[in-house]
Amino acid sequence: MQPIDPVKLTADLIRCPSVTPEEGGALILLQKLLDDAGFECSRVDRAGISNLFARWGSKGAAKTFGFNGHTDVVPIGDQTAWTHGPFSADIVDGIMYGRGTTDMKSGVAAFAAAAIDFVATTPPDGAVILTITGDEEGDALDGTTALLDYMERENERMSVCLVGEPTCPNEMGEMMKIGRRGSLTCWFEVTGKQGHSAYPHRAKNPLPALARLMDRLASHELDQGTDHFDASTLAVVTIDTGNPATNVIPANCRATVNIRFNDLHSGASLSEWLQAAADNVASEFDTPVTLKIKISGESFITPPGPLSDLIAKSVEAETGVTPEMSTTGGTSDARFVKNHCPVVEFGLVGKTMHQVDENVPIEQIAQLKSIYERILKDYFA
């Protein structure tokens, strides 16, 4: 059997227009490839979202290495702004262009190719599981969570898992993610009474209350960081009144904040704090303040140990770079996997993800496959 070319596989996946929630042919392509390689595959579709589970080896094996990734991509934006077709996978001067080249069809191609070649050449005493979703870039309600629910029902188990998201800021090999901050978004609305701006005493202006609340939240220091996390942050991301008139006091106004929090907090504790702050301002200004909160994920960490050591050793062997253990960045599906087994993220340089003319040096794709294959060999050694 010829080794799987991860560059060709990446290009084939790029040509599948799998903008969330469309499957676009990407999982069909991967399932055929994995079926032919002896993996037992199951589609785990839920609520219109396509997902793929694949296992080589026996269910319930004492050692089972898992990979997780996604084939869905964000929208392309203005197609005329692209130098190369967003689904063309054009290669120019060693650079492949296309939506998903960085985030993260290259990562999926690399770990699928590594897994197939590994079990073909050195069949391990254990199992290899691939969980691939089409819902990471969307609401993430029916993607990796559906796969984990399926695994629970079917008594499938990963001992450890590597998520192939792009993790390196500038140089291949420089960073792995051993955890992630939590993420919470809160929408506020302050309700007053509309009136003429020349007669403010006849109205109830909601804007001063909202301004006071936003100032208090933005000025508050949540913490100074922990051993493995930077300080938590709160950003006011929008303030809206929808009022074009200069002689009208509006009836209501809205604002939204986003919090990225470390392990000193939980979604629940921050929700209580936000509610108390809103209640205080409502009392001070005698005007109703309502809020709606969405917790996208809690903070988590896989403590440095065997899994991070295994990945660091393999990365250094292939790149000459020792990866930093980090918890920076946004959320990923690792926030779901951490409830199942220890999880670490490692992948490509992510500088162009979600951008126009997203791209990846093809040498990095091949390098990533080599890293993943070495990780598998060392894990089952």
Side-chain angles (χ1 to χ4, degrees), residues 55 58-64 127 155-157:
R55 172 175 41 80
S58 301
K59 180 194 291 190
K63 294 187 75 172
T64 301
N155 295 314
E156 298 279 3
R157 195 81 200 167

Side-chain angles (χ1 to χ4, degrees), residues 39 65 102 106 115 135 153 160 166 175 187 198 222 290 326 370 372:
F39 283 72
F65 194 96
T102 299
S106 49
D135 189 36
R153 291 194 305 271
V160 295
M175 183 176 289
W187 294 266
L222 288 164
T290 60
S326 171
S370 297
Y372 289 159

Side-chain angles (χ1 to χ4, degrees), residues 59-317:
K59 180 194 291 190
K63 294 187 75 172
T64 301
F65 194 96
F67 287 100
N68 173 266
H70 64 92
T71 53
D72 63 315
V73 297
V74 296
I76 63 172
D78 180 5
Q79 184 164 350
T80 64
W82 286 71
T83 307
H84 304 271
F87 302 113
S88 67
D90 288 347
I91 298 175
V92 179
D93 297 329
I95 306 291
M96 183 187 297
Y97 292 85
R99 177 59 83 223
T101 47
T102 299
D103 188 12
M104 60 163 289
K105 288 181 174 179
S106 49
V108 171
F111 70 59
I116 290 169
D117 287 357
F118 171 68
V119 300
T121 58
T122 51
D125 182 14
V128 178
I129 284 177
L130 277 59
T131 55
I132 307 170
T133 177
D135 189 36
E136 198 274 346
E137 299 290 8
D139 293 333
L141 298 175
D142 297 294
T144 292
T145 54
L147 286 159
L148 293 170
D149 289 345
Y150 167 84
M151 292 175 67
E152 186 72 23
R153 291 194 305 271
E154 299 296 322
N155 295 314
E156 298 279 3
R157 195 81 200 167
M158 298 182 288
S159 306
V160 295
C161 183
L162 193 161
V163 177
E165 288 279 2
T167 58
C168 300
N170 298 294
E171 179 185 3
M172 187 65 178
E174 67 181 325
M175 183 176 289
M176 70 171 90
K177 300 293 178 72
I178 61 169
R180 292 278 187 163
R181 297 178 297 175
S183 177
L184 177 155
T185 300
C186 183
W187 294 266
F188 294 93
E189 182 168 5
V190 182
T191 302
K193 179 182 177 183
Q194 184 174 316
H196 198 298
S197 60
Y199 304 96
H201 59 287
R202 296 177 182 171
K204 175 71 73 173
N205 194 339
L207 284 165
L210 185 67
R212 181 71 56 84
L213 178 57
M214 291 302 103
D215 178 61
R216 285 182 182 172
L217 295 179
S219 301
H220 179 76
E221 181 182 76
L222 288 164
D223 56 71
Q224 295 184 337
T226 65
D227 288 345
H228 293 289
F229 287 89
D230 292 337
S232 301
T233 61
L234 181 149
V236 179
V237 295
T238 187
I239 296 176
D240 306 291
T241 61
N243 177 26
T246 59
N247 60 348
V248 175
I249 292 171
N252 53 58
C253 55
R254 292 159 295 279
T256 307
V257 302
N258 181 259
I259 302 176
R260 302 301 171 115
F261 58 94
N262 60 34
D263 50 352
L264 290 175
H265 309 275
S266 67
S269 68
L270 289 168
S271 296
E272 291 177 6
W273 172 65
L274 291 167
Q275 183 67 64
D279 290 345
N280 287 337
V281 166
S283 177
E284 290 172 24
F285 286 83
D286 189 27
T287 186
V289 181
T290 60
L291 62 161
K292 180 181 74 172
I293 293 172
K294 178 182 177 181
I295 301 166
S296 300
E298 301 285 351
S299 68
F300 72 92
I301 189 167
T302 297
L307 180 56
S308 54
D309 290 346
L310 169 71
I311 293 170
K313 178 183 174 184
S314 298
V315 171
E316 186 173 10

